[in-house]
Amino acid sequence: MKAGTGRGGGARRRVLAALAAVALTGGAVAGAVVVASQAGAATTTLRSLAEAKGKYFGVGAEESLLTGNSSYANIAATQFDMITPGNEMKWASVEATQGTYTWGPADQMVAFATANNERVRGHNLVWNSQLPSWLPGSFTSAQLQALLQKHITDEVTHFKGEIYTWDVVNEPFNGDGSYVQDLWYNAFGGNNYIADALTWAHAADPNALLCLNDYNIEGVNTKSTAMYTLVKSLLAAGVPISCVGLESHFVLGSVPSDMQTNIARFAALGVHVQITEVDDRILLPATTANLAQQATDYGNIVTACLGVTLCDGVTVWGIDDGNTWVTSTFPGYGAPLMWDANYVTKPAYNAVVTALGGTVSSTSASASASASATGGGSSGCTVAYVPNQWTGGFTANVTVKNTGSAAWSAWTVTFAFPGDQKITNAWNATTTQSGAAVSAVNMSYNGSVAAGASTNFGFQGTWTSSDASPTSFKVNGTTCT
Ligand code: G3I
């Protein structure tokens, strides 16, 4: 699963090659976070499990978090093999001032993806939202048509060879299957803006898959049937449509039971199907029962895609519950993603691993519980050790909480593996291992942990005869039990 090989220009090619080289050496270049030894590493991550099934597993991400939040960046670099810029390729982002393009944030995300051996979904070219303020209300229909052609041509050309799939037109339908009568529909005198947009995008990058992307079209319903009818007519007219994107923004428990049937009917037309923006919002608080239902929902989504050859993969719309559009858009709702706000995996993550054919440790919860104990006084700590394991390999996430009354300015976590695990790669800590004994020391950026606060690190590795989880930990010499 590699990023596209073609490039828009020599200078860009050189920059991206340098970034890819950095990935191999573990260094860092301005603005691009790279995880050492990630390039080419085959681990038991969502991406490796998906790839074993011939699919990708992607994430909708934001450049500011990739550069400013190491926990977020490390998960983005290790768990996924496809990235969709959440906002950075939208018209408002790339041309806030008419005639002046700002490609930097989007370029950085492409570089991040390339350096971590991930592909990119381009999002999006035509929408009625997140338009530059200079655009709506200022132009005639003929001018809008010309502006749209230029926008599509310029943006697709800029990223030519770097984009696996473009969301060419975003959210063209109303819930009743009628067309949204937005500025594009009106300027073109109907839905022919869709065919024109696809044609222009194809002319600029003939190798990119071209999607129409919408929400509430995951099951068979009025809106998805309108999309189906449109795709069928575009194909009949020879328009270069090659993909349908099912956004999949769900409310807990609402994943349609006919999702795979719906995916299959689009695939039967000969187009690819991509699950493009998964989240599953919960009416807060997120109870144990809610999280279990969410796990079921996530598993069902993945299973629906796995069941259809032309379903290319699944993208989740964010990494952690602390960074999601859901909380500001739907007051009272939240917790829609697979990691909590402390970057600890939720039951939904385990359900996806299972749906992808991976093995989740049945001892995960008990290991976590037995490894957690509240310390007291000025040097207390708790540790939650959450492994994911499979034959011969494992990853583990370790969350350390300072339950004492004094802040830590640095930390060293020590423990011993009961099994014969060997750590091969770590994140958010530097690990050393001698036999079964492991020492994990903070990085320069996460040594400070206030009283009551937590920090998180993790590692991946191999095992042969036993991968039993450690149950006793010390932080700075103090036993956490
Ligand atoms: O960048 C500004 C920042 O400078 C300012 O301080 C801040 C204050 O609110 O706003 C920031 O912009 C926000 C932007 O996301 C970047 O974070 C916008 O307010 C906010 O409206 C915007 O929301 C995005 C939303 O699309 C807009 O409709 C979400 O991040 C993005 O995840 C979301 O994604 C859409 C897909 O493109 C299409 N499908 C639905 C999906 C969810 O709405």
mmCIF file of all heavy atoms in Angstrom, residues 60-62 64 84-88 90 93 123-124 127 129-130 167 170-171 213-215 247 249 276-277 279 317-318 324-326 328-330, ligand 1:
data_model
loop_
_atom_site.group_PDB
_atom_site.id
_atom_site.type_symbol
_atom_site.label_atom_id
_atom_site.label_comp_id
_atom_site.label_asym_id
_atom_site.label_seq_id
_atom_site.Cartn_x
_atom_site.Cartn_y
_atom_site.Cartn_z
ATOM 1 N N GLY A 60 -9.124 10.581 9.095
ATOM 2 C CA GLY A 60 -9.256 11.998 8.787
ATOM 3 C C GLY A 60 -8.486 12.758 9.855
ATOM 4 O O GLY A 60 -8.784 12.631 11.045
ATOM 5 N N ALA A 61 -7.477 13.504 9.441
ATOM 6 C CA ALA A 61 -6.562 14.114 10.409
ATOM 7 C C ALA A 61 -6.456 15.610 10.169
ATOM 8 O O ALA A 61 -6.923 16.137 9.159
ATOM 9 C CB ALA A 61 -5.184 13.464 10.300
ATOM 10 N N GLU A 62 -5.836 16.286 11.125
ATOM 11 C CA GLU A 62 -5.605 17.724 10.994
ATOM 12 C C GLU A 62 -4.125 18.023 11.161
ATOM 13 O O GLU A 62 -3.478 17.504 12.074
ATOM 14 C CB GLU A 62 -6.413 18.498 12.043
ATOM 15 C CG GLU A 62 -7.905 18.379 11.800
ATOM 16 C CD GLU A 62 -8.718 19.316 12.680
ATOM 17 O OE1 GLU A 62 -8.207 20.386 13.062
ATOM 18 O OE2 GLU A 62 -9.867 18.953 12.983
ATOM 19 N N SER A 64 -2.557 20.619 12.218
ATOM 20 C CA SER A 64 -2.132 21.254 13.473
ATOM 21 C C SER A 64 -1.929 20.201 14.571
ATOM 22 O O SER A 64 -1.068 20.366 15.440
ATOM 23 C CB SER A 64 -3.172 22.278 13.932
ATOM 24 O OG SER A 64 -4.420 21.658 14.137
ATOM 25 N N THR A 84 -6.782 11.369 5.260
ATOM 26 C CA THR A 84 -7.605 12.390 4.613
ATOM 27 C C THR A 84 -7.416 13.694 5.372
ATOM 28 O O THR A 84 -7.702 13.739 6.573
ATOM 29 C CB THR A 84 -9.102 12.019 4.670
ATOM 30 O OG1 THR A 84 -9.297 10.717 4.144
ATOM 31 C CG2 THR A 84 -9.925 13.019 3.886
ATOM 32 N N PRO A 85 -6.907 14.736 4.726
ATOM 33 C CA PRO A 85 -6.864 16.025 5.412
ATOM 34 C C PRO A 85 -8.292 16.470 5.748
ATOM 35 O O PRO A 85 -9.153 16.554 4.868
ATOM 36 C CB PRO A 85 -6.212 16.951 4.379
ATOM 37 C CG PRO A 85 -5.417 16.020 3.499
ATOM 38 C CD PRO A 85 -6.267 14.782 3.407
ATOM 39 N N GLY A 86 -8.553 16.737 7.026
ATOM 40 C CA GLY A 86 -9.912 17.069 7.445
ATOM 41 C C GLY A 86 -10.406 18.387 6.883
ATOM 42 O O GLY A 86 -11.588 18.541 6.571
ATOM 43 N N ASN A 87 -9.518 19.338 6.765
ATOM 44 C CA ASN A 87 -9.894 20.672 6.270
ATOM 45 C C ASN A 87 -8.885 21.261 5.285
ATOM 46 O O ASN A 87 -9.207 22.188 4.553
ATOM 47 C CB ASN A 87 -10.027 21.646 7.455
ATOM 48 C CG ASN A 87 -11.190 21.300 8.351
ATOM 49 O OD1 ASN A 87 -12.337 21.308 7.926
ATOM 50 N ND2 ASN A 87 -10.900 20.972 9.601
ATOM 51 N N GLU A 88 -7.669 20.766 5.284
ATOM 52 C CA GLU A 88 -6.551 21.475 4.655
ATOM 53 C C GLU A 88 -6.606 21.540 3.135
ATOM 54 O O GLU A 88 -5.887 22.327 2.526
ATOM 55 C CB GLU A 88 -5.227 20.844 5.112
ATOM 56 C CG GLU A 88 -4.940 21.022 6.591
ATOM 57 C CD GLU A 88 -5.729 20.079 7.504
ATOM 58 O OE1 GLU A 88 -6.572 19.305 6.985
ATOM 59 O OE2 GLU A 88 -5.522 20.130 8.719
ATOM 60 N N LYS A 90 -9.610 21.859 1.525
ATOM 61 C CA LYS A 90 -10.864 22.518 1.139
ATOM 62 C C LYS A 90 -10.562 23.889 0.538
ATOM 63 O O LYS A 90 -9.543 24.511 0.826
ATOM 64 C CB LYS A 90 -11.780 22.615 2.355
ATOM 65 C CG LYS A 90 -12.314 21.254 2.815
ATOM 66 C CD LYS A 90 -13.028 21.319 4.139
ATOM 67 C CE LYS A 90 -13.552 19.953 4.556
ATOM 68 N NZ LYS A 90 -14.083 19.927 5.942
ATOM 69 N N SER A 93 -9.367 26.718 2.555
ATOM 70 C CA SER A 93 -8.014 26.572 3.088
ATOM 71 C C SER A 93 -6.950 26.866 2.039
ATOM 72 O O SER A 93 -5.913 27.457 2.353
ATOM 73 C CB SER A 93 -7.803 25.138 3.606
ATOM 74 O OG SER A 93 -8.717 24.842 4.619
ATOM 75 N N HIS A 123 -9.723 15.699 -0.092
ATOM 76 C CA HIS A 123 -11.057 16.071 0.392
ATOM 77 C C HIS A 123 -11.115 17.567 0.558
ATOM 78 O O HIS A 123 -10.390 18.084 1.397
ATOM 79 C CB HIS A 123 -11.307 15.358 1.724
ATOM 80 C CG HIS A 123 -12.590 15.718 2.384
ATOM 81 N ND1 HIS A 123 -13.782 15.160 2.016
ATOM 82 C CD2 HIS A 123 -12.898 16.585 3.394
ATOM 83 C CE1 HIS A 123 -14.755 15.636 2.782
ATOM 84 N NE2 HIS A 123 -14.243 16.503 3.617
ATOM 85 N N ASN A 124 -11.959 18.319 -0.111
ATOM 86 C CA ASN A 124 -12.747 17.905 -1.266
ATOM 87 C C ASN A 124 -12.698 19.006 -2.297
ATOM 88 O O ASN A 124 -12.235 20.109 -1.977
ATOM 89 C CB ASN A 124 -14.200 17.597 -0.846
ATOM 90 C CG ASN A 124 -14.856 18.778 -0.126
ATOM 91 O OD1 ASN A 124 -14.989 19.879 -0.655
ATOM 92 N ND2 ASN A 124 -15.220 18.570 1.135
ATOM 93 N N TRP A 127 -17.943 21.700 -2.935
ATOM 94 C CA TRP A 127 -18.862 21.635 -1.791
ATOM 95 C C TRP A 127 -19.472 23.015 -1.648
ATOM 96 O O TRP A 127 -18.988 23.986 -2.240
ATOM 97 C CB TRP A 127 -18.075 21.252 -0.523
ATOM 98 C CG TRP A 127 -18.898 20.773 0.644
ATOM 99 C CD1 TRP A 127 -20.194 20.323 0.622
ATOM 100 C CD2 TRP A 127 -18.466 20.695 2.011
ATOM 101 N NE1 TRP A 127 -20.578 19.946 1.876
ATOM 102 C CE2 TRP A 127 -19.534 20.164 2.761
ATOM 103 C CE3 TRP A 127 -17.287 21.002 2.680
ATOM 104 C CZ2 TRP A 127 -19.468 19.948 4.132
ATOM 105 C CZ3 TRP A 127 -17.205 20.781 4.045
ATOM 106 C CH2 TRP A 127 -18.291 20.260 4.764
ATOM 107 N N SER A 129 -19.807 24.274 1.381
ATOM 108 C CA SER A 129 -19.361 24.702 2.703
ATOM 109 C C SER A 129 -17.854 24.906 2.680
ATOM 110 O O SER A 129 -17.167 24.378 1.817
ATOM 111 C CB SER A 129 -19.733 23.623 3.727
ATOM 112 O OG SER A 129 -19.357 24.016 5.024
ATOM 113 N N GLN A 130 -17.346 25.649 3.663
ATOM 114 C CA GLN A 130 -15.920 25.954 3.750
ATOM 115 C C GLN A 130 -15.371 26.483 2.423
ATOM 116 O O GLN A 130 -14.305 26.097 1.955
ATOM 117 C CB GLN A 130 -15.148 24.741 4.271
ATOM 118 C CG GLN A 130 -15.489 24.473 5.750
ATOM 119 C CD GLN A 130 -14.750 23.308 6.342
ATOM 120 O OE1 GLN A 130 -15.082 22.151 6.077
ATOM 121 N NE2 GLN A 130 -13.732 23.595 7.136
ATOM 122 N N ASP A 167 -12.399 13.135 -3.244
ATOM 123 C CA ASP A 167 -13.820 13.415 -3.074
ATOM 124 C C ASP A 167 -14.087 14.612 -3.973
ATOM 125 O O ASP A 167 -13.817 15.761 -3.609
ATOM 126 C CB ASP A 167 -14.142 13.755 -1.611
ATOM 127 C CG ASP A 167 -14.085 12.537 -0.715
ATOM 128 O OD1 ASP A 167 -14.380 11.424 -1.203
ATOM 129 O OD2 ASP A 167 -13.744 12.696 0.468
ATOM 130 N N ASN A 170 -18.862 16.844 -2.828
ATOM 131 C CA ASN A 170 -19.210 16.490 -1.448
ATOM 132 C C ASN A 170 -20.658 16.861 -1.163
ATOM 133 O O ASN A 170 -21.080 17.993 -1.416
ATOM 134 C CB ASN A 170 -18.278 17.261 -0.499
ATOM 135 C CG ASN A 170 -18.144 16.590 0.843
ATOM 136 O OD1 ASN A 170 -17.960 15.379 0.904
ATOM 137 N ND2 ASN A 170 -18.230 17.368 1.909
ATOM 138 N N GLU A 171 -21.404 15.887 -0.690
ATOM 139 C CA GLU A 171 -22.745 16.114 -0.146
ATOM 140 C C GLU A 171 -23.687 16.829 -1.105
ATOM 141 O O GLU A 171 -24.229 17.897 -0.781
ATOM 142 C CB GLU A 171 -22.620 16.848 1.195
ATOM 143 C CG GLU A 171 -21.762 16.044 2.173
ATOM 144 C CD GLU A 171 -21.467 16.766 3.489
ATOM 145 O OE1 GLU A 171 -21.966 17.885 3.680
ATOM 146 O OE2 GLU A 171 -20.723 16.199 4.307
ATOM 147 N N ASN A 213 -19.208 11.896 -2.567
ATOM 148 C CA ASN A 213 -19.174 11.577 -1.135
ATOM 149 C C ASN A 213 -20.390 12.189 -0.447
ATOM 150 O O ASN A 213 -20.720 13.351 -0.671
ATOM 151 C CB ASN A 213 -17.879 12.185 -0.556
ATOM 152 C CG ASN A 213 -17.590 11.785 0.866
ATOM 153 O OD1 ASN A 213 -17.638 10.590 1.185
ATOM 154 N ND2 ASN A 213 -17.277 12.752 1.715
ATOM 155 N N ASP A 214 -21.077 11.405 0.374
ATOM 156 C CA ASP A 214 -22.240 11.967 1.073
ATOM 157 C C ASP A 214 -22.497 11.201 2.370
ATOM 158 O O ASP A 214 -21.928 10.125 2.583
ATOM 159 C CB ASP A 214 -23.481 11.940 0.170
ATOM 160 C CG ASP A 214 -24.380 13.162 0.382
ATOM 161 O OD1 ASP A 214 -24.475 13.644 1.528
ATOM 162 O OD2 ASP A 214 -24.988 13.629 -0.606
ATOM 163 N N TYR A 215 -23.356 11.794 3.205
ATOM 164 C CA TYR A 215 -23.709 11.152 4.483
ATOM 165 C C TYR A 215 -25.144 10.628 4.407
ATOM 166 O O TYR A 215 -25.914 11.008 3.526
ATOM 167 C CB TYR A 215 -23.546 12.125 5.650
ATOM 168 C CG TYR A 215 -24.407 13.372 5.578
ATOM 169 C CD1 TYR A 215 -25.638 13.437 6.221
ATOM 170 C CD2 TYR A 215 -23.987 14.488 4.865
ATOM 171 C CE1 TYR A 215 -26.423 14.570 6.166
ATOM 172 C CE2 TYR A 215 -24.765 15.629 4.794
ATOM 173 C CZ TYR A 215 -25.990 15.667 5.453
ATOM 174 O OH TYR A 215 -26.773 16.795 5.378
ATOM 175 N N GLU A 247 -19.979 8.484 4.021
ATOM 176 C CA GLU A 247 -19.322 9.178 5.133
ATOM 177 C C GLU A 247 -19.405 8.381 6.442
ATOM 178 O O GLU A 247 -18.446 8.263 7.176
ATOM 179 C CB GLU A 247 -19.925 10.573 5.312
ATOM 180 C CG GLU A 247 -19.554 11.519 4.177
ATOM 181 C CD GLU A 247 -19.970 12.956 4.439
ATOM 182 O OE1 GLU A 247 -20.410 13.290 5.569
ATOM 183 O OE2 GLU A 247 -19.855 13.766 3.490
ATOM 184 N N HIS A 249 -21.238 8.948 9.402
ATOM 185 C CA HIS A 249 -21.328 9.627 10.704
ATOM 186 C C HIS A 249 -22.561 9.075 11.411
ATOM 187 O O HIS A 249 -23.687 9.452 11.081
ATOM 188 C CB HIS A 249 -21.465 11.136 10.518
ATOM 189 C CG HIS A 249 -20.267 11.772 9.891
ATOM 190 N ND1 HIS A 249 -19.057 11.873 10.546
ATOM 191 C CD2 HIS A 249 -20.076 12.334 8.672
ATOM 192 C CE1 HIS A 249 -18.185 12.482 9.761
ATOM 193 N NE2 HIS A 249 -18.770 12.762 8.614
ATOM 194 N N THR A 276 -15.793 6.710 4.338
ATOM 195 C CA THR A 276 -14.880 7.853 4.320
ATOM 196 C C THR A 276 -14.737 8.645 5.619
ATOM 197 O O THR A 276 -13.721 9.325 5.808
ATOM 198 C CB THR A 276 -15.298 8.839 3.210
ATOM 199 O OG1 THR A 276 -16.673 9.193 3.415
ATOM 200 C CG2 THR A 276 -15.118 8.221 1.836
ATOM 201 N N GLU A 277 -15.716 8.613 6.510
ATOM 202 C CA GLU A 277 -15.635 9.535 7.674
ATOM 203 C C GLU A 277 -16.303 8.941 8.913
ATOM 204 O O GLU A 277 -17.128 9.584 9.561
ATOM 205 C CB GLU A 277 -16.312 10.876 7.330
ATOM 206 C CG GLU A 277 -15.756 11.572 6.096
ATOM 207 C CD GLU A 277 -16.466 12.893 5.770
ATOM 208 O OE1 GLU A 277 -17.237 13.387 6.615
ATOM 209 O OE2 GLU A 277 -16.242 13.417 4.675
ATOM 210 N N ASP A 279 -17.567 8.009 12.388
ATOM 211 C CA ASP A 279 -17.591 8.215 13.831
ATOM 212 C C ASP A 279 -18.953 7.756 14.328
ATOM 213 O O ASP A 279 -19.866 7.528 13.545
ATOM 214 C CB ASP A 279 -17.227 9.654 14.268
ATOM 215 C CG ASP A 279 -17.914 10.738 13.468
ATOM 216 O OD1 ASP A 279 -19.079 10.542 13.064
ATOM 217 O OD2 ASP A 279 -17.292 11.796 13.259
ATOM 218 N N TRP A 317 -13.103 9.355 11.212
ATOM 219 C CA TRP A 317 -13.006 10.820 11.114
ATOM 220 C C TRP A 317 -12.417 11.403 12.392
ATOM 221 O O TRP A 317 -13.064 12.118 13.149
ATOM 222 C CB TRP A 317 -14.371 11.424 10.783
ATOM 223 C CG TRP A 317 -14.271 12.756 10.090
ATOM 224 C CD1 TRP A 317 -14.779 13.953 10.522
ATOM 225 C CD2 TRP A 317 -13.635 13.033 8.831
ATOM 226 N NE1 TRP A 317 -14.480 14.953 9.622
ATOM 227 C CE2 TRP A 317 -13.782 14.416 8.575
ATOM 228 C CE3 TRP A 317 -12.946 12.251 7.896
ATOM 229 C CZ2 TRP A 317 -13.273 15.033 7.426
ATOM 230 C CZ3 TRP A 317 -12.428 12.861 6.758
ATOM 231 C CH2 TRP A 317 -12.589 14.240 6.541
ATOM 232 N N GLY A 318 -11.169 11.031 12.627
ATOM 233 C CA GLY A 318 -10.471 11.506 13.800
ATOM 234 C C GLY A 318 -9.874 10.339 14.559
ATOM 235 O O GLY A 318 -10.197 9.171 14.308
ATOM 236 N N THR A 324 -12.637 16.059 18.008
ATOM 237 C CA THR A 324 -13.666 15.631 17.073
ATOM 238 C C THR A 324 -14.656 16.763 16.845
ATOM 239 O O THR A 324 -14.957 17.537 17.767
ATOM 240 C CB THR A 324 -14.417 14.385 17.587
ATOM 241 O OG1 THR A 324 -15.637 14.229 16.847
ATOM 242 C CG2 THR A 324 -14.773 14.493 19.062
ATOM 243 N N TRP A 325 -15.152 16.854 15.618
ATOM 244 C CA TRP A 325 -16.140 17.875 15.284
ATOM 245 C C TRP A 325 -17.460 17.637 16.030
ATOM 246 O O TRP A 325 -18.258 18.545 16.200
ATOM 247 C CB TRP A 325 -16.417 17.861 13.771
ATOM 248 C CG TRP A 325 -17.172 16.629 13.306
ATOM 249 C CD1 TRP A 325 -16.723 15.344 13.309
ATOM 250 C CD2 TRP A 325 -18.521 16.576 12.837
ATOM 251 N NE1 TRP A 325 -17.702 14.493 12.854
ATOM 252 C CE2 TRP A 325 -18.822 15.227 12.539
ATOM 253 C CE3 TRP A 325 -19.505 17.543 12.618
ATOM 254 C CZ2 TRP A 325 -20.062 14.816 12.053
ATOM 255 C CZ3 TRP A 325 -20.742 17.128 12.118
ATOM 256 C CH2 TRP A 325 -21.005 15.775 11.849
ATOM 257 N N VAL A 326 -17.661 16.408 16.520
ATOM 258 C CA VAL A 326 -18.951 16.017 17.092
ATOM 259 C C VAL A 326 -19.322 16.867 18.307
ATOM 260 O O VAL A 326 -20.455 17.339 18.435
ATOM 261 C CB VAL A 326 -18.926 14.514 17.475
ATOM 262 C CG1 VAL A 326 -20.040 14.174 18.456
ATOM 263 C CG2 VAL A 326 -19.042 13.663 16.219
ATOM 264 N N SER A 328 -18.672 19.886 19.285
ATOM 265 C CA SER A 328 -19.138 21.254 19.083
ATOM 266 C C SER A 328 -20.405 21.303 18.229
ATOM 267 O O SER A 328 -21.192 22.228 18.336
ATOM 268 C CB SER A 328 -18.037 22.105 18.437
ATOM 269 O OG SER A 328 -17.617 21.526 17.226
ATOM 270 N N THR A 329 -20.603 20.288 17.411
ATOM 271 C CA THR A 329 -21.747 20.305 16.492
ATOM 272 C C THR A 329 -23.009 19.707 17.113
ATOM 273 O O THR A 329 -24.120 20.123 16.795
ATOM 274 C CB THR A 329 -21.384 19.533 15.199
ATOM 275 O OG1 THR A 329 -20.164 20.072 14.690
ATOM 276 C CG2 THR A 329 -22.466 19.670 14.145
ATOM 277 N N PHE A 330 -22.826 18.715 17.985
ATOM 278 C CA PHE A 330 -23.980 18.045 18.604
ATOM 279 C C PHE A 330 -23.856 18.137 20.124
ATOM 280 O O PHE A 330 -23.330 17.214 20.765
ATOM 281 C CB PHE A 330 -24.037 16.575 18.169
ATOM 282 C CG PHE A 330 -24.132 16.376 16.685
ATOM 283 C CD1 PHE A 330 -23.011 16.018 15.943
ATOM 284 C CD2 PHE A 330 -25.334 16.537 16.025
ATOM 285 C CE1 PHE A 330 -23.092 15.830 14.573
ATOM 286 C CE2 PHE A 330 -25.424 16.360 14.648
ATOM 287 C CZ PHE A 330 -24.310 16.009 13.919
HETATM 288 O O1 G3I B 1 -9.259 27.222 11.802
HETATM 289 C C1 G3I B 1 -10.193 27.898 12.639
HETATM 290 C C2 G3I B 1 -9.496 28.497 13.831
HETATM 291 O O2 G3I B 1 -8.596 29.495 13.394
HETATM 292 C C3 G3I B 1 -10.550 29.094 14.787
HETATM 293 O O3 G3I B 1 -9.897 29.532 15.934
HETATM 294 C C4 G3I B 1 -11.577 28.043 15.150
HETATM 295 C C5 G3I B 1 -12.680 28.632 16.016
HETATM 296 O O4 G3I B 1 -13.864 27.901 15.895
HETATM 297 O O5 G3I B 1 -12.169 27.529 13.970
HETATM 298 C C6 G3I B 1 -11.224 26.907 13.117
HETATM 299 O O6 G3I B 1 -11.893 26.414 11.994
HETATM 300 C C7 G3I B 1 -12.671 25.279 12.212
HETATM 301 C C8 G3I B 1 -12.181 24.183 11.296
HETATM 302 O O7 G3I B 1 -13.026 23.051 11.384
HETATM 303 C C9 G3I B 1 -10.746 23.735 11.641
HETATM 304 O O8 G3I B 1 -10.709 23.092 12.874
HETATM 305 C C10 G3I B 1 -14.110 25.623 11.899
HETATM 306 O O9 G3I B 1 -14.614 26.539 12.859
HETATM 307 C C11 G3I B 1 -14.950 24.384 11.905
HETATM 308 O O10 G3I B 1 -16.257 24.706 11.422
HETATM 309 C C12 G3I B 1 -14.343 23.353 10.987
HETATM 310 O O11 G3I B 1 -15.134 22.201 11.099
HETATM 311 C C13 G3I B 1 -14.926 21.236 10.112
HETATM 312 C C14 G3I B 1 -16.233 20.925 9.412
HETATM 313 O O12 G3I B 1 -16.016 19.876 8.475
HETATM 314 C C15 G3I B 1 -16.802 22.101 8.655
HETATM 315 O O13 G3I B 1 -18.013 21.738 8.072
HETATM 316 C C16 G3I B 1 -14.402 19.987 10.795
HETATM 317 O O14 G3I B 1 -13.115 20.238 11.339
HETATM 318 C C17 G3I B 1 -14.327 18.849 9.789
HETATM 319 O O15 G3I B 1 -14.023 17.671 10.469
HETATM 320 C C18 G3I B 1 -15.686 18.713 9.120
HETATM 321 O O16 G3I B 1 -15.645 17.648 8.227
HETATM 322 C C19 G3I B 1 -16.830 17.407 7.479
HETATM 323 C C20 G3I B 1 -16.383 16.881 6.128
HETATM 324 O O17 G3I B 1 -15.551 17.824 5.511
HETATM 325 C C21 G3I B 1 -17.584 16.557 5.241
HETATM 326 N N1 G3I B 1 -18.492 15.667 5.909
HETATM 327 C C22 G3I B 1 -18.930 16.091 7.238
HETATM 328 C C23 G3I B 1 -17.738 16.371 8.130
HETATM 329 C C24 G3I B 1 -18.196 16.785 9.525
HETATM 330 O O18 G3I B 1 -18.817 18.032 9.524
#
